Amino acid sequence: MEKKMFCLEELLSNKNQKEALRYIETKKDSLGSDGLLLSELKEFWSLNSSAILSQIKNGSYVPTIVKQCQLLKTSGGYRTISLFGNLDRFLLRMLAQKLERYMNPLFLANSFAFQAEKGVLAAIQQAKNYLIQGNSIVIEIDLYHYFDTIPLDRLNQQLEAYFSDQRVREFIQAYLFCSIESEGRVFTQFKGLIQGSAISPILSNLYLHPVDCYLESRGFNWLRYADNLYIYVASKEEALPIYQEIRQLLVDEFQLVINEKKSGIFSAFNRRVLGYEFYLKNNIVECQKHHYTRFIYSSRWHPSQLQFANRQYYIIENGILNKKDYSLLFENEEHKHHLPIEVVEQINIYSEVVISPQTLHLLYDKKIPLVLHNQFGDIQSYFIPESMRSSAPILLAQSQLYLSEEKRVTVAKQFELAHLHNMRANCRYYLKKFRSNGILRNLEQELTNGMNAVRTTKSVDDLMLLEARAKQQYYQLYNEVLNQEQFCFTKRTKRPPRDALNALISFCNTVLYSQVLRLIWKSRLDPKIAVLHASNNRPYSLHLDFADYFKPIIVDRVILSLINRHQIHMPQHFEYKEDGAVWLNSAGKRIVLEALESKFHTRLVLKHTTYTYHQLIQRDVQLFKKFILGDRDVKRFTPFKYY
């Protein structure tokens, strides 16, 4: 490859400095991590440029530590925000200007992201042209967290092939491997570009440039926009070997991760591309932008607690919860965070938190339940506003159902059938990936037999016995699906969990229980009176009836995904106690909570209506309430079964 790039002198030229300063001056004034205001940068540079340029030239310049935090996106999930020093923003802009000038002409015409005079509309026009040519099948490959997974050592090798001036390479490396501070920890990352850096978009295009060249050399009808790769072909038969080939190239050679949920082979007229939809109108290919229905999310979250999009806070660090004016303030030695009272529907505490009397008065006025969990995740105590407690007619109706053995068994069967059905649905889901797995095949049959046995069972005790046997068999699924040897299921242990996998299961279950319990309180059902589970000395039982059949499709799917995608790790995300107990630590809990939030708001279609999992739980609770209050036709109460 011809080494014909800019040298350090050209990078640091007065012309390039002035251009970068003009660009910086158009930005809103802000304080950088170096304590320098953006409005003061020009004066600072005029006074200190000679010394800084000398450091860059002799290779001794060290960028200011980059401070990172996470923000809740309007679409759900989180994105990392990086706060650079304003001096580094200026120097990165100088780098970006030269990289764009020299690199962009090298990129191929079908690479559309992060380049002037290109963009989404140009990419959509190219896709439309492929459809007009008769290529009605699209191979879509979505790279999972692309910016965060680029191996920097390999990217560095690519830079060496372009730059003959070692000083330029070392200056770029100073920013690739700079120090980062996040949650009080300072580290250097060796995988992933820092999002928010001016040079990261250009370098992300550079890393995939060899892939673009390969696609072009093969004569494919392709286009790429950042981490989204599309190849258009005429038939599915033609698509399959191409998909496997490019997928293997990206994984094996470029060490990237494929987003399995979004990647595959699809009909181009049934697939949304970069937010646009294609359709035929009078045999003419047309396209239009898809209009999304958005959920409303809070704009901030904090490491000490994470707010779900469905308006719950999970406090997982020690601190004080107090009233501040007409809202709530959570604080400890390290953090302060305001909880906007108008968007909070429940607060769950998993740590040692001091709660002031004024806080309880405010929660009472705003009808917000507060739930305290012990170290096992079980509900230890709770504060429920009077307006959310069960009314007499509902309490009587639930009691009548519980005391009528015949009616109780009939309804309990509905819960149990949904539970076994959803366990079987999980088996069938993973059998699509492991078709020759005999253990999963046998498990599917055993669960089918269990469902048949449920239909003929005469007592609730026998139903619970069948459930216990089914669960014992079902947990085999973990060892057949997991791809990390450190996580292995031997037996279910709780209070306390004895290994990392059981710690994950226990924590995820408590989060699901909390979700269900809030919806039961909201409906004013009495959570003490269950159907399938006995109403005994435990504080609540009804939430177990609903949560159990959602566990396989929410909890188990999340855990298997987190482990198989290497998002949760041993031992760094767990605490190991002297008594043999194993718990998720704060960092692990945050990862799990984020994944569960995403799962709760995954959409699926039931009887031509789109629901999220959160809405499905709410739907089932309301169906049950309607059933006990008058509509006693058990056929109308059908707990959700995953299709």
Side-chain angles (χ1 to χ4, degrees):
M1 184 179 297
E2 186 180 354
K3 299 179 180 179
K4 193 175 181 180
M5 283 286 164
F6 55 90
C7 63
L8 189 65
E9 285 70 25
E10 182 179 351
L11 171 65
L12 303 179
S13 66
N14 287 332
K15 181 180 178 181
N16 199 38
Q17 292 177 37
K18 290 177 182 178
E19 185 181 344
L21 279 172
R22 284 196 299 270
Y23 176 85
I24 291 293
E25 286 173 349
T26 64
K27 300 301 178 182
K28 185 178 178 181
D29 194 19
S30 61
L31 185 69
S33 63
D34 53 4
L36 180 65
L37 282 169
L38 201 60
S39 58
E40 298 173 351
L41 175 65
K42 188 174 183 179
E43 179 183 349
F44 177 87
W45 183 248
S46 68
L47 295 172
N48 300 281
S49 59
S50 296
I52 296 168
L53 291 173
S54 296
Q55 291 177 357
I56 295 172
K57 289 174 182 177
N58 63 34
S60 63
Y61 179 78
V62 178
T64 304
I65 293 176
V66 178
K67 296 184 178 180
Q68 290 188 338
C69 63
Q70 289 187 304
L71 293 182
L72 191 60
K73 298 188 291 186
T74 56
S75 59
Y78 300 92
R79 63 186 178 99
T80 300
I81 298 297
S82 301
L83 178 64
F84 288 84
N86 280 327
L87 173 60
D88 289 315
R89 286 179 65 186
F90 167 64
L91 296 175
L92 282 166
R93 183 60 197 172
M94 290 171 60
L95 257 177
Q97 288 169 179
K98 288 301 175 183
L99 287 172
E100 288 172 0
R101 177 180 172 186
Y102 282 86
M103 288 286 185
N104 284 357
L106 298 176
F107 299 146
L108 301 187
N110 286 1
S111 172
F112 290 96
F114 314 127
Q115 299 171 69
E117 298 180 2
K118 287 191 175 182
V120 172
L121 291 181
I124 294 301
Q125 184 60 54
Q126 183 64 68
K128 184 178 178 181
N129 292 340
Y130 289 145
L131 290 175
I132 292 172
Q133 294 166 11
N135 299 291
S136 59
I137 301 297
V138 62
I139 301 166
E140 180 177 349
I141 299 178
D142 182 274
L143 298 175
Y144 185 76
H145 289 185
Y146 172 54
F147 270 64
D148 299 330
T149 57
I150 295 174
L152 298 184
D153 55 347
R154 198 181 190 285
L155 175 61
N156 199 34
Q157 292 173 8
Q158 288 181 244
L159 289 171
E160 290 179 3
Y162 284 97
F163 288 94
S164 56
D165 191 333
Q166 184 177 347
R167 298 171 300 168
V168 176
R169 294 203 308 269
E170 290 176 351
F171 189 46
I172 296 174
Q173 289 166 10
Y175 285 105
L176 287 180
F177 300 101
C178 66
S179 296
I180 300 169
E181 180 186 342
S182 178
E183 299 180 19
R185 185 171 63 96
V186 178
F187 58 93
T188 299
Q189 63 184 28
F190 297 93
K191 179 181 284 189
L193 296 171
I194 299 177
Q195 299 198 43
S197 167
I199 64 174
S200 291
I202 310 162
L203 296 180
S204 73
N205 269 341
L206 174 65
Y207 189 71
L208 285 179
H209 180 58
V211 177
D212 297 344
C213 293
Y214 179 77
L215 296 172
E216 191 72 12
S217 69
R218 292 293 307 277
F220 294 143
N221 298 315
W222 69 279
L223 65 92
R224 182 176 63 82
Y225 191 91
D227 54 0
N228 299 109
L229 175 62
Y230 304 91
I231 304 172
Y232 288 82
V233 296
S235 67
K236 289 187 176 181
E237 291 74 21
E238 182 184 357
L240 185 58
I242 297 173
Y243 175 65
Q244 293 172 341
E245 175 189 353
I246 304 305
R247 191 177 184 282
Q248 186 174 1
L249 173 71
L250 291 166
V251 172
D252 294 347
E253 185 171 341
F254 288 85
Q255 302 170 36
L256 298 173
V257 182
I258 306 299
N259 188 336
E260 303 291 352
K261 289 184 177 180
K262 296 183 179 180
S263 302
I265 299 169
F266 310 97
S267 169
F269 290 103
N270 295 328
R271 194 67 181 170
R272 205 172 297 144
V273 174
L274 302 177
Y276 285 78
E277 297 171 320
F278 297 91
Y279 57 93
L280 284 173
K281 185 176 182 180
N282 298 326
N283 291 323
I284 297 175
V285 177
E286 295 188 1
C287 66
Q288 66 179 14
K289 190 169 186 177
H290 177 78
H291 295 286
Y292 293 90
T293 301
R294 294 186 178 271
F295 288 101
I296 298 174
Y297 298 83
S298 174
S299 61
R300 297 190 302 169
W301 78 290
H302 194 274
S304 297
Q305 61 277 323
L306 183 152
Q307 183 180 5
F308 272 37
N310 52 21
R311 300 188 174 191
Q312 288 201 59
Y313 267 99
Y314 291 81
I315 299 179
I316 57 179
E317 291 186 359
N318 299 342
I320 299 172
L321 186 62
N322 209 339
K323 179 184 177 184
K324 179 69 173 178
D325 298 326
Y326 294 99
S327 192
L328 296 173
L329 175 68
F330 176 80
E331 57 184 327
N332 54 27
E333 292 181 356
E334 299 177 356
H335 310 293
K336 283 187 178 182
H337 184 70
H338 291 271
L339 283 65
I341 197 72
E342 298 303 331
V343 296
V344 179
E345 287 192 2
Q346 183 168 314
I347 297 174
N348 303 279
I349 297 177
Y350 291 82
S351 51
E352 298 293 328
V353 176
V354 176
I355 304 167
S356 70
Q358 294 88 345
T359 299
L360 296 178
H361 288 306
L362 182 61
L363 295 177
Y364 181 89
D365 291 339
K366 297 295 182 179
K367 302 178 183 179
I368 298 172
L370 182 143
V371 184
L372 305 179
H373 300 262
N374 62 18
Q375 59 179 335
F376 306 118
D378 298 327
I379 295 172
Q380 191 172 36
S381 58
Y382 52 88
F383 172 81
I384 307 296
E386 192 65 32
S387 60
M388 297 184 71
R389 296 185 184 275
S390 301
S391 64
I394 294 177
L395 185 61
L396 289 171
Q398 286 184 253
S399 301
Q400 289 171 358
L401 176 60
Y402 186 83
L403 294 172
S404 172
E405 180 68 18
E406 181 182 353
K407 292 178 182 178
R408 183 185 170 198
V409 169
T410 302
V411 179
K413 285 183 180 181
Q414 295 292 88
F415 282 110
E416 198 59 67
L417 283 172
H419 189 183
L420 269 64
H421 175 97
N422 289 341
M423 287 194 286
R424 186 180 67 177
N426 256 10
C427 287
R428 290 178 173 176
Y429 174 81
Y430 288 108
L431 273 169
K432 293 177 183 177
K433 299 183 178 182
F434 308 101
R435 295 181 184 277
S436 60
N437 191 302
I439 293 177
L440 289 180
R441 187 70 64 188
N442 291 337
L443 178 57
E444 178 196 19
Q445 185 57 52
E446 288 296 326
L447 290 170
T448 300
N449 295 340
M451 292 172 66
N452 292 332
V454 165
R455 295 184 177 97
T456 59
T457 300
K458 302 297 184 183
S459 72
V460 172
D461 289 342
D462 288 342
L463 284 174
M464 294 300 293
L465 183 61
L466 281 171
E467 179 185 292
R469 290 172 180 168
K471 281 184 178 179
Q472 187 175 12
Q473 294 171 324
Y474 171 75
Y475 280 123
Q476 300 174 77
L477 178 140
Y478 274 96
N479 291 337
E480 300 306 309
V481 175
L482 289 174
N483 62 15
Q484 290 195 55
E485 293 182 359
Q486 309 98 303
F487 293 92
C488 178
F489 188 88
T490 52
K491 66 177 181 177
R492 183 75 176 101
T493 57
K494 43 191 174 180
R495 301 182 186 87
R498 296 292 179 180
D499 56 55
L501 187 55
N502 274 290
L504 276 169
I505 295 171
S506 292
F507 183 73
C508 288
N509 283 348
T510 63
V511 174
L512 178 59
Y513 293 155
S514 179
Q515 294 281 338
V516 176
L517 195 53
R518 179 172 71 87
L519 294 172
I520 290 173
W521 276 327
K522 199 172 180 179
S523 71
R524 302 193 70 184
L525 288 166
D526 193 323
K528 299 184 187 70
I529 305 175
V531 179
L532 182 59
H533 291 80
S535 297
N536 48 26
N537 292 328
R538 65 165 65 97
Y540 297 127
S541 300
L542 183 59
H543 67 303
L544 301 177
D545 288 355
F546 289 98
D548 275 358
Y549 64 90
F550 278 100
K551 284 180 187 176
I553 52 178
I554 295 178
V555 169
D556 295 339
R557 291 276 186 94
V558 164
I559 292 173
L560 291 167
S561 176
L562 286 173
I563 295 174
N564 285 346
R565 292 181 176 182
H566 302 273
Q567 293 172 278
I568 202 87
H569 303 284
M570 292 174 59
Q572 55 263 50
H573 291 134
F574 296 88
E575 295 178 1
Y576 298 85
K577 302 297 185 181
E578 293 182 359
D579 62 357
V582 181
W583 308 103
L584 272 170
N585 61 23
S586 295
K589 287 175 181 176
R590 283 193 287 273
I591 292 170
V592 172
L593 286 171
E594 181 178 349
L596 283 169
E597 174 200 332
S598 176
K599 191 68 176 178
F600 280 125
H601 288 86
T602 300
R603 295 179 176 89
L604 61 164
V605 178
L606 180 66
K607 296 181 179 179
H608 309 294
T609 302
T610 300
Y611 295 91
T612 64
Y613 280 107
H614 171 74
Q615 290 168 334
L616 282 170
I617 299 171
Q618 188 174 33
R619 163 192 170 271
D620 283 7
V621 170
Q622 292 298 328
L623 281 176
F624 178 75
K625 179 181 178 181
K626 184 178 178 182
F627 168 74
I628 65 166
L629 287 179
D631 185 358
R632 293 306 181 105
D633 184 358
V634 74
K635 294 180 180 178
R636 295 182 181 273
F637 175 61
T638 53
F640 174 70
K641 297 175 183 175
Y642 189 86
Y643 43 83

